[in-house]
Amino acid sequence: MVDTKIKIRDLDFFYGKKQILFNVDLDFYSNQITSLIGPSGCGKSTLLRCLNRMNDIIPGIKVNGNILYNKFNLYKEENSVVEIRKKIGMVFQKPNPFPMSIFNNVSYGLRVQGEKDKEKIKKIVRESLEKADLYDEVKNRLNSSAFSLSGGQQQRLCIARALAINPDVILLDEPCSALDPIATAKIEELLKKIKKEHTIIIVTHNMHQAKRISDYTCYLLDGKIIEFSETNELFNNPKNKLTKDYINGVFG
């Protein structure tokens, strides 16, 4: 029996007067990969960004309901957004390395947290790059600009940067959409490896990717959860006709 890492109950989300998510109930399980799938505009990324309060930076949003992370309500005012994002990290759709060296990209979060031990920083940077399957490719040019890396390498660098502060949960918003198949395969293998230590939630427009890497899949449509189950069950034996139509390409 897997433990529940994040529990969402009765979640409604509004941009101004426009409601984007409707009465979302969903569990994310520890050390599992959960994919969020659905057509463009269905609320996948909005839901993902609710999990580390990334939507807070947008004026006029409103959130009703509860999101419990290890039984703590993420939307209680006393919870620090900074502390939440240390535990629930995020990797974005397009690689977004900082305009600095490869080494400084990975060490950035540690320095922001006040870590001053240079040997400890070096150790964590190397370990994070190794976890991201990038160290052997960059070990002789750690002081080079992160922009000298290929797109796939930049995305793995962003994953290494997220790993360096040892988050409990990693959120990924279509992390392979700008990558070629070889770079995508490397990211997928990496995610399957690191789920041993982290809970992973990924938005993907690629249903084949969801089938390849995820333990659980959630299908959203028009801001509502249509179906959620183990991935093999959802793709091979969908319970809802809307799910069946979507995965068979009838629409979307």
Side-chain angles (χ1 to χ4, degrees), residues 45-100:
S45 292
T46 298
L47 176 58
L48 191 77
R49 288 165 177 261
C50 284
L51 301 179
N52 72 342
R53 294 184 53 174
M54 192 62 70
N55 291 317
D56 286 16
I57 63 175
I58 302 170
I61 67 146
K62 185 172 75 170
V63 181
N64 297 328
N66 296 294
I67 301 180
L68 304 178
Y69 160 67
N70 287 341
K71 301 182 180 177
F72 292 98
N73 193 330
L74 295 182
Y75 282 84
K76 290 289 186 184
E77 289 186 8
E78 63 267 21
N79 283 325
S80 162
V81 173
V82 173
E83 292 301 316
I84 288 170
R85 291 178 188 159
K86 286 181 186 177
K87 294 294 185 182
I88 305 176
M90 188 148 193
V91 176
F92 296 93
Q93 182 172 3
K94 292 182 179 178
N96 63 334
F98 300 148
M100 54 183 70

Side-chain angles (χ1 to χ4, degrees), residues 91-238:
V91 176
F92 296 93
Q93 182 172 3
K94 292 182 179 178
N96 63 334
F98 300 148
M100 54 183 70
S101 71
I102 294 166
F103 183 93
N104 286 341
N105 261 271
V106 183
S107 65
Y108 181 82
L110 297 169
R111 296 182 190 279
V112 168
Q113 291 180 11
E115 182 59 62
K116 293 183 170 60
D117 185 329
K118 291 183 179 180
E119 290 306 312
K120 183 176 180 181
I121 290 173
K122 284 182 183 178
K123 181 173 182 289
I124 293 173
V125 167
R126 175 169 179 158
E127 288 174 349
S128 301
L129 288 168
E130 286 175 341
K131 284 182 182 178
D133 290 332
L134 188 58
Y135 182 73
D136 286 343
E137 297 170 40
V138 302
K139 61 185 178 183
N140 295 321
R141 50 179 175 139
L142 292 175
N143 293 320
S144 298
S145 168
F147 296 131
S148 68
L149 300 175
S150 69
Q153 288 174 324
Q154 287 185 19
Q155 193 64 297
R156 280 184 283 146
L157 178 68
C158 293
I159 293 173
R161 189 174 68 201
L163 290 171
I165 59 172
N166 195 30
D168 190 21
V169 180
I170 301 175
L171 313 176
L172 302 107
D173 192 358
E174 298 195 23
C176 302
S177 64
L179 304 182
D180 62 45
I182 293 173
T184 294
K186 287 186 176 182
I187 297 286
E188 291 179 359
E189 287 306 310
L190 164 60
L191 295 180
K192 287 190 283 187
K193 184 177 71 172
I194 65 174
K195 78 172 185 176
K196 296 173 184 176
E197 299 177 16
H198 307 273
T199 299
I200 297 172
I201 304 166
I202 179 171
V203 166
T204 178
H205 67 287
N206 185 331
M207 284 188 284
H208 296 294
Q209 182 174 71
K211 289 172 71 174
R212 284 193 299 264
I213 70 170
S214 58
D215 303 288
Y216 292 85
T217 297
C218 176
Y219 171 49
L220 288 96
L221 181 65
D222 297 331
K224 300 172 184 175
I225 292 180
I226 304 303
E227 190 162 346
F228 170 72
S229 68
E230 292 187 17
T231 295
N232 287 338
E233 182 71 11
L234 185 138
F235 281 99
N236 295 325
N237 188 29

Side-chain angles (χ1 to χ4, degrees), residues 10-48:
D10 304 319
L11 179 70
D12 296 320
F13 182 89
F14 300 80
Y15 287 127
K17 294 182 179 179
K18 182 176 175 61
Q19 188 167 359
I20 306 298
L21 298 174
F22 298 80
N23 195 35
V24 171
D25 286 341
L26 185 60
D27 290 346
F28 296 105
Y29 301 114
S30 299
N31 303 107
Q32 304 288 295
I33 300 176
T34 301
S35 289
L36 303 177
I37 65 170
S40 296
C42 71
K44 303 184 299 292
S45 292
T46 298
L47 176 58
L48 191 77

